[in-house]
Amino acid sequence: MALPTLWSKKILRPFGNTSPIPLTAHLPLEEDAHILCLTCSDLRHILYSIYCCNSASIPRKLDITCCDNEPAVLARNVILLTMIIDMASSDDLSKIWNAFYHLYLDSDSSAFLSSQCRKLSQLSSSIETWNQSQYGVFIRMCDVRTLSELRRHWDLCVAYADSSESKGRHAAQVKLTVKETLRKYTDPVHLGTMRSAGYYWLNAFKIMPPSFTHFWKTGTTFTDRQEIENAKFLNPTFLFSAHDEGFAIDQESDPMAAFHLATAFKDKEEPVAIDVVFDCAKTQFQAWCAAFRAYISKSPDGLTIRFFSGDPLAFCTALRSRLDSGSLVARTFTRTWSTCPLTLDGGDYDDVQNGPPLQFNVVETSSLMDSVSLLNLLVAVVPLISPSPSSAVFTETPASPEVDALKWFTSHFCGDIPTICLIFDLVPTTYLSRMSTRSDRGGILASRAQKETVGRYYERLVWKRPSAADSALIRTPNRPLLSFDINQLAQLLLNVYREMFALDNPKLASSVPSLPRYTRESFALFLRILRSVVDVDWQFLMDCFYDVLDADVSLLMGSNYYQDLWCQLHRYQLYTVSIMERPPRPAGLYTGWKAVPPVVTVFLVVPRSSLKPLENADHVEHMTPILHCDVKSPSVHNIYPSITAAFGSIRRTYKGGNPWVFWEEDPLGFSGKSPLVVSFNAPAWTLDRTLSVALSLRATPYTLPWTRKLGIGLHLFLTKITDTSNVFIVPDHPTLPQQRGLLGVSTSQQRVEVHLDRGCRKISTLTSRIDLVEAKEKEMLLEGSAVSSSQSSSCAIRVSFGGIQRDALFPFPVAGGQSKLRIARKSSYLEVVSLIKGPEDFKALTAVPFPIAVTESGVLSPWSLPRLNIDLLPHLDVEGLPQLHTLFAHLHMESADQERHAENKGRFDDILGVRHTIRSIFASFTGAGGTANYAFGFLRADDRKIDTFIFVTGLRLDLADHSIVADAFVLTPAEDLMLAGGIKALDAIEESPLQKITLVEEELRVWKQLLPALAERCRVGWKHGANCEYLSQGGISPHLGLSLDPLCCCGRGKETEEFLKRPEWLPFAPFVTRIALSPLFEVPYLDKVLSHVKPVVEEGKRRCDVCKEGGKPKLLTCTRCKRGTYCSAVCQRADWKEHKAKCKTG
């Protein structure tokens, strides 16, 4: 396995711990969604996405593949979906809610759940029976084993009702877990629930009811005492998992964290009753269920949800195997602790042409990045990303607001961020744009206030191909191959290798913040990706890497893993060291073998008694132990961390003249009594009769307590390699197919030269070559025509000579202003050498800060801004002092500390100017300065004429992004449209409240780039037509003249219902285009944020009696009664009429 094998307690996570997002937010309306959900947990993202898609007038097919390592999670999800389909009344909806979210059920809900489980069990007797059932139309199983595991869970739930002994045992377990949870989490308000309040996180921080404590005390979301007392039956869906029976629910589980709770705190000043929060979640759940039913009834083949039970990375391997080789059987197991080969035998994958998707335009990975590490995740996911420019990968990882954010983020990459992103052709959109519509400020500040550590604040990222930000590049048939200097690339690989295995360096081991997440197989899989995108002599490269690794002395423990490294490189056909090219003769350990391959498989049978130290350990004290195998003697010690382990038995036999084994898994697993069988690959030449084989724990800074039990070697079981009762050596793994070949190498004819810096850690420059083939081009260059260059888009430099223009394309955004030209007049080619830097040096998307790619088929794909269905978002009322305080606090937290410092000194760049203008529009709309303004005119600084009008019809809560959005309409260019009959209307507008905002040329140019993205992100009910200016121009020009209209005509006069509510705007209705205008937040992992508000949050629970804020800078106390507290004299005066009646001297 590419991941280290952990001995850890299995935990059931039945609910998500973050609020849902629309998974289709980055897809054009015209593009069907092929979604892959890894570790899907509950179905909140899926149901919310269906809810958002259901109201769109442009139909979209949804094909969703869900994977989770815990079959109990998937069994619960299928129960939920089928209950929704069968729902006959509102009473059924309440029972569905109870069955999915309650630990304890009333008798009706319990019977309802048992009946559904019994029905599902009957329909799942075979894959054929399931596929022909009423549910098989839209719920499909990827393999037979998944259906079998889900059926086991449903059968256990049915059987639970008939077993009084089982009920008593589980009841005791639940009580113990509840007691431990309430003792561990003493704060009645859970941070995960506060995060879900989004925009109103500060309100939730102050007045959130104790929903977390209530859920764990009662096991329900009931607030009525009688209903709580009636809920006395344990919900069996929480009691069974893949490996064991028992209540092992995650102690941070809170069903409220999986909903958008902002509306529960909207317009609230006093403490919110707990039933308000519960009702808010139930209302959303009801809407999701209705949308799900409507989507299926509207288009029976428009929605398909597929399920796979097993390891997410293994499932990715199987999909890639099917994609590359056509095989249904992958060379991997379904999950750790299993001997079952992963086989896509559910029937659907048999059809190559019309089968399930094997590549996806949406990949949701939840918090998988944290548990498996970033490079392992990218290696698995990148080959499955569809070539669509809108394809997106979502990740979520816990972060600490107190650490160096950029250093923390960079550590995930095991190298320079742009360099690794270039290799994978995938980058976080916010890393290049350096801004986001999403606000995570609430989570950051709440983490600081409660002094929480890593795991409290979640950094959610959207990853896309950097080349997809450029229309010119997405139309090229293949991505350019990367050409490196061999020695530089070998040194870069060594640097990545050092970072991946930093624990092998004694000087760094104590500073590594987490357990090891990589094995040498991980590195081999990384090289497999690299080989598919570079144009180098691969054998020579690996020879050079061998030499630099052999000379490296930093990884003191690294030599113990060399044989595993060479073994993995050979297995994946990447490199074979010379000694492995001559396998040993059939002698010694291989006596009687017909032939000895370069790599053999070693099986070690570990008696159950040897595992007692692990089974009896306190994992809080001993952390999570990592298992590996040792092959050693007094003079030799080789470590093999890529092991396969499962409980069962093994029997020796022969096959094809060589030894062979039958490996039978014990279905009881951890609960049974069978020994543990462990296998690993090793170079055949390294094994002889003098060696011993051991199952041991990986030595880390956390394993010191284990040495007292196991000794310095940390061996759980050690035996001679000649122990034929416990050691078996065979040519290959008996249950897996033969190793497949390499990933396909790009057939692109284009090359981009990559030059690294002196330390070979990061890219210094990229060089793109333009070969001139036309006779006229060659002649003009040879005659000495002057050659110039300018940046035409983020990834393209336009070279001009003699009236001819050619674009040099790069696979990553470049700094065109710092590029150099190399001119070969006689050889007829041009080279453009350009810098590539991270956003810590410059804004990488300066040329086109808000890119929209236009495909050859005419589909528009905004690169950095997510789409939203603005009509589904709740209205935001900003009348009243507390509401204004919330709004201004939200806007005040937009900038990073560095930009705030620049803004305070009056130093604005173009992007900062745009963000400042957006804040001004929001503030002016509220009337905080006196008169509320709903219309805004952008004045050109040079001639003081209005260039653009923006009309704001209202503010709404952007639930998914934890922010707000202005529902607005734009009219541009103002002069041309006024000549079309709007002169009188213009006079009327200028007589009404109109705020004129003066913009310098640079900021106005950025607005011209931003407006098309704002219009496209809220497009729901209209399509771009054949006369669309974007399509005729081949995209949105980054050099659009200031006097020209940046918007196409397709959206004019569309979806103007809100606009027409103001009669004075009626003449403009045919000309305006709807936009969704949001604050643009700095990215917390790139810049330090919120240090200026830290004292406010840490002030404690004492707050202003009026606005509930902290002091400015200190709280003021009423001098008469000493009880009233206020943030300022303004609030004190506002409260005096009410406070006067209860104010007493002293």
Side-chain angles (χ1 to χ4, degrees), residues 266-283:
K266 191 163 76 81
D267 307 328
K268 302 294 193 306
E269 301 176 37
E270 299 300 323
V272 173
I274 197 168
D275 57 341
V276 173
V277 174
F278 291 155
D279 289 344
C280 172
K282 291 177 181 178
T283 300

Side-chain angles (χ1 to χ4, degrees), residues 41 114 146 183 413 579 591 598 719 728 753 909 1043 1098 1107 1111:
S41 184
S114 296
T146 292
R183 183 173 65 246
F413 288 79
I579 196 169
T591 299
T719 187
F728 303 80
E753 292 184 18
D909 64 14
S1043 62
E1098 290 184 341
C1107 67

Side-chain angles (χ1 to χ4, degrees), residues 80 83-84 87-99 112 282-283 285-290 293:
L80 174 62
M83 281 181 168
I84 295 173
M87 183 171 61
S89 65
S90 59
D91 185 52
D92 283 352
L93 181 65
S94 298
K95 294 175 185 176
I96 294 171
W97 171 273
N98 298 344
F112 186 71
K282 291 177 181 178
T283 300
F285 181 73
Q286 180 180 10
W288 298 352
C289 293
R293 288 169 58 88

Side-chain angles (χ1 to χ4, degrees), residues 541-698:
L541 169 65
M542 296 310 297
D543 287 339
C544 292
F545 174 70
Y546 181 99
D547 292 338
V548 295
L549 179 62
D550 188 54
D552 182 63
V553 295
S554 63
L555 303 181
L556 187 62
M557 295 295 295
S559 60
N560 296 108
Y561 298 90
Y562 276 3
Q563 299 308 324
D564 183 46
L565 173 63
W566 308 131
C567 176
Q568 300 301 336
L569 295 182
H570 175 82
R571 287 182 60 227
Y572 287 100
Q573 303 175 32
L574 294 166
Y575 185 63
T576 300
V577 295
S578 57
I579 196 169
M580 292 181 65
E581 293 176 349
R582 302 183 300 275
R585 298 177 180 178
L589 288 174
Y590 309 112
T591 299
W593 285 42
K594 185 176 181 179
V596 182
V599 173
V600 296
T601 302
V602 180
F603 288 85
L604 177 65
V605 180
V606 181
R608 197 70 179 226
S609 58
S610 298
L611 303 176
K612 289 295 184 184
L614 295 176
E615 294 174 339
N616 299 331
D618 179 354
H619 290 288
V620 175
E621 176 189 357
H622 293 83
M623 297 295 288
T624 302
I626 301 173
L627 305 180
H628 68 225
C629 283
D630 296 285
V631 175
K632 60 190 303 186
S633 71
S635 59
V636 174
H637 186 192
N638 293 319
I639 301 175
Y640 297 92
S642 296
I643 65 173
T644 300
F647 293 97
S649 60
I650 196 166
R651 178 168 55 87
R652 194 185 305 273
T653 184
Y654 283 87
K655 178 182 178 181
N658 281 337
W660 203 246
V661 293
F662 283 115
W663 188 0
E664 185 176 358
E665 183 178 351
D666 182 354
L668 295 178
F670 283 85
S671 301
K673 298 181 180 179
S674 297
L676 180 67
V677 181
V678 182
S679 70
F680 61 93
N681 294 109
W685 75 270
T686 62
L687 304 181
D688 61 49
R689 292 179 177 275
T690 65
L691 300 172
S692 297
V693 184
L695 177 66
S696 311
L697 303 187
R698 165 72 187 267

